[in-house]
Amino acid sequence: MKKKNLLLSFAIIILVLSFTYCGGHKKKISPVIRKYNTATVFLNNGKLDIAEKYLKEVIKKDPKYYLAYNNLGIIEIYKRNFNKAEKYLTKVIALNPKFIESYNYLGIVYREKGMNEKAKEMFLKVAEDPNYPTRENGYYNLALIYLSESKIDEALRFANKAVKTNSFFALGYNLRGKIFLKMKRFDDARRDFVKAIKLMPENPYFNFDLAMFLYKYEKNHDRAIKFFEKTMIFSKDRNLKKICRKYIKEIDKLSNDKRTVKK
């Protein structure tokens, strides 16, 4: 799996800067927090090597600054150095077992290492923590693993929990659409693919999934072309655009063949 696909496959929580203000009054920021905040800005902008440099300076100054270890773990996930990522993330949990975000990342690491049962344990901790603000990510990631194992009923159970936890969770609806497709529940699949696009109309992958559904299962070629074209508009992935053009050509050929037969 390529680096960019890893982030599409799992629900990854967006990083947040440390708070530097309180009650409208500026607080004095320690050098450690300043370095951490700088590192996080670089990380959010994809400048991994610079972020890593600052984070290592943070833990040199404060070896118990668990947020820095967490972000180092994230960097190693991006780089696909999963053993290093595991080392950093387990350090976070040793320092602060209540920092739930690290369980989500550690679950991703275990999944990529083929350790599905350990990954499930981590994602379940995320999903079942009543104070965690995005518990749907845990349920989503569990559904994704069970789907990869062809355990369709379990996959559906957790996908249902994901969208029940957050009724605006577009990723959850799109994944549940794929699960319904596996179950040959085509009306339900269409409904969820459409729901995902309504929530995130410019997501190229959601548009592509609906286009493929319309093309392969409903034979609704005119609508399929519409969503293939939208995919190409919204996507920066050249390979995905190439695939869309291929299907549009196939549909055009089918239409031409039908006209020839009628003559």
Side-chain angles (χ1 to χ4, degrees), residues 27 44 105 109 115 134 164 173 175:
K27 288 182 70 178
N44 283 336
Y105 292 121
V109 168
M115 302 164 70
T134 53
K164 186 177 180 182
Y173 287 108
L175 179 59

Side-chain angles (χ1 to χ4, degrees), residues 3 13 53 62 68 111 113 116 120 167 202-204:
K3 188 189 302 179
I13 298 125
K53 172 180 170 290
D62 184 354
R111 176 68 182 98
K113 292 176 73 172
N116 280 9
K120 289 172 189 174
S167 61
E202 296 185 6
N203 185 298

Side-chain angles (χ1 to χ4, degrees), residues 166-184:
N166 179 359
S167 61
F168 297 98
F169 189 41
L171 269 174
Y173 287 108
N174 194 68
L175 179 59
R176 195 171 69 172
K178 292 179 180 179
I179 294 167
F180 283 138
L181 205 52
K182 291 274 187 186
M183 301 173 81
K184 301 190 186 304

Side-chain angles (χ1 to χ4, degrees), residues 194 197-198 201-204 206-212 214-215 219-235 244-245 247-249 251-252:
V194 170
I197 289 174
K198 282 182 178 177
E202 296 185 6
N203 185 298
F206 296 170
N207 279 279
F208 180 76
D209 287 339
L210 180 57
M212 288 299 296
L214 293 166
Y215 174 55
K219 312 298 181 188
N220 190 335
H221 293 165
D222 289 340
R223 286 200 75 211
I225 285 178
K226 173 186 171 184
F227 288 101
F228 281 129
E229 288 174 342
K230 283 190 172 185
T231 302
M232 290 191 291
I233 291 168
F234 299 133
S235 179
C244 289
R245 283 192 288 270
Y247 280 115
I248 290 171
K249 283 182 181 178
I251 291 169
D252 286 341

Side-chain angles (χ1 to χ4, degrees), residues 50-234:
I50 302 174
E52 183 178 12
K53 172 180 170 290
Y54 277 101
L55 290 167
K56 285 184 175 178
E57 288 177 9
V58 169
I59 59 177
K60 190 174 181 181
K61 293 271 187 185
D62 184 354
K64 293 186 177 180
Y65 202 87
Y66 66 90
L67 291 172
Y69 291 104
N70 184 69
N71 285 5
L72 283 167
I74 292 167
I75 289 170
E76 297 303 339
I77 289 175
Y78 272 96
K79 292 180 176 180
R80 301 190 63 78
N81 296 328
F82 297 117
N83 288 333
K84 281 188 178 180
E86 181 182 0
K87 179 182 173 184
Y88 283 127
L89 295 167
T90 51
K91 178 72 172 177
V92 177
I93 292 167
L95 289 169
N96 186 356
K98 293 183 179 179
F99 187 66
I100 299 299
E101 187 170 339
S102 281
Y103 292 98
N104 194 61
Y105 292 121
L106 192 53
I108 292 166
V109 168
Y110 287 141
R111 176 68 182 98
E112 289 297 313
K113 292 176 73 172
M115 302 164 70
N116 280 9
E117 296 310 311
K118 291 193 79 169
K120 289 172 189 174
E121 287 177 27
M122 297 300 105
F123 292 139
L124 205 55
K125 284 183 181 289
V126 173
E128 293 185 343
D129 187 312
N131 299 314
Y132 193 64
T134 53
R135 292 165 53 224
E136 64 272 14
N137 288 337
Y139 289 128
Y140 173 90
N141 288 336
L142 283 163
L144 200 63
I145 291 178
Y146 281 112
L147 181 59
S148 74
E149 296 174 339
S150 298
K151 296 176 180 176
I152 305 303
D153 290 340
E154 283 297 288
L156 180 59
R157 182 164 75 89
F158 285 111
N160 284 338
K161 286 189 175 189
V163 296
K164 186 177 180 182
T165 302
N166 179 359
S167 61
F168 297 98
F169 189 41
L171 269 174
Y173 287 108
N174 194 68
L175 179 59
R176 195 171 69 172
K178 292 179 180 179
I179 294 167
F180 283 138
L181 205 52
K182 291 274 187 186
M183 301 173 81
K184 301 190 186 304
R185 292 172 56 175
F186 299 121
D187 288 344
D188 291 327
R190 184 198 315 107
R191 181 201 65 213
D192 275 3
F193 287 141
V194 170
K195 176 76 172 177
I197 289 174
K198 282 182 178 177
L199 289 167
M200 292 182 68
E202 296 185 6
N203 185 298
Y205 300 96
F206 296 170
N207 279 279
F208 180 76
D209 287 339
L210 180 57
M212 288 299 296
F213 173 79
L214 293 166
Y215 174 55
K216 290 182 74 174
Y217 296 95
E218 294 202 338
K219 312 298 181 188
N220 190 335
H221 293 165
D222 289 340
R223 286 200 75 211
I225 285 178
K226 173 186 171 184
F227 288 101
F228 281 129
E229 288 174 342
K230 283 190 172 185
T231 302
M232 290 191 291
I233 291 168
F234 299 133

